[in-house]
Amino acid sequence: MESHNLTLRDVPNEERPRERMMQVGAQALSNAELLAILLRTGTYQESAVHLAQRMLSHSGGLRSLVDMSLEQLTEIKGIGSAKGLQIQASIELGRRLARSVLNDTVMVRSPKDVADLMMEELRYLQKEHFVCLFLNTKNHVVGQETLSMGSLNAAIVHPREVFRAAIKRSSASIICVHNHPSGDPTPSSEDIQLTQRLVEAGEIIGIDVLDHIVIGDQAFISLKEQGLM
């Protein structure tokens, strides 16, 4: 029962992450300490910090924790639906914060601008996500949409879905972006073939495909820069 859980007041000062955060700031805290603040309480046998450490060990680290379902989270001893939902809510807020720059008028001048915009949103995902950025005539990003979530090594995208979404937003051009869960952004032959199909379809429809960016772990590759489109 909740009344039997250890709260952060019940543990030694050195294991109280809220107090440490007030003293030294959030940047100085470990992943387990930040997670413990979200959990608020531990279990009858362990503090919130120890529970957080066990969660990270069980999941394989922060990156894997990001992609866990509620069912997977609640399989961890000491994590009920309330704690699981708290964690998922905080992860979703982080994702929305990463996307919130779109609310400012973002102008794409280079592949790096795209990578800066999308890196934190895509680099941790364990499946391939294919995203389109929609641009106006001044290369301002006017929207984005995830059009496919594939397996660990492939994302299946059809040109009609891509350009249906682009036409709906009256886009002058698009930039395609997808992640490689392996962390290696080297384009596959399928990536190159898909890009060529999209370029050809765009020429017929009158919507330019400006680039296709592959996101890895703190690295990216532009197919345009590589001469692959």
Side-chain angles (χ1 to χ4, degrees), residues 168-213:
K168 184 171 64 177
R169 291 169 174 79
S170 301
S171 306
S173 59
I174 64 172
I175 295 175
C176 303
V177 189
H178 83 279
N179 62 303
H180 279 180
S182 67
D184 179 1
T186 303
S188 66
S189 59
E190 290 84 2
D191 296 339
I192 297 169
Q193 292 169 9
L194 170 62
T195 305
Q196 292 171 345
R197 289 176 62 203
L198 292 173
V199 169
E200 292 170 0
E203 289 174 350
I204 295 171
I205 294 172
I207 297 176
D208 293 333
V209 180
L210 300 182
D211 206 342
H212 186 171
I213 309 294

Side-chain angles (χ1 to χ4, degrees), residues 76-91:
I76 301 172
K77 183 180 178 181
I79 302 298
S81 58
K83 283 184 168 62
L85 289 169
Q86 285 170 206
I87 293 164
Q88 288 196 318
S90 66
I91 290 170

Side-chain angles (χ1 to χ4, degrees), residues 120-165:
E120 291 309 308
E121 181 174 344
L122 295 179
R123 60 183 286 224
Y124 297 114
L125 299 176
Q126 296 182 15
K127 292 184 179 180
E128 286 196 3
H129 286 56
F130 186 92
V131 179
C132 271
L133 300 180
F134 306 105
L135 286 70
N136 62 20
T137 55
K138 296 182 179 180
N139 278 14
H140 291 155
V141 177
V142 295
Q144 77 174 67
E145 184 172 343
T146 300
L147 296 174
S148 172
M149 290 183 287
S151 66
L152 284 175
N153 56 14
I156 301 172
V157 182
H158 196 283
R160 65 171 171 264
E161 277 78 38
V162 173
F163 289 102
R164 181 186 297 124

Side-chain angles (χ1 to χ4, degrees), residues 7 41 43 49 55 57 67 94 108 110 119 124 162 215:
T7 69
T41 61
T43 68
V49 175
M55 282 190 68
S57 176
D67 218 32
V108 174
S110 70
M119 180 69 71
Y124 297 114
V162 173
I215 300 288

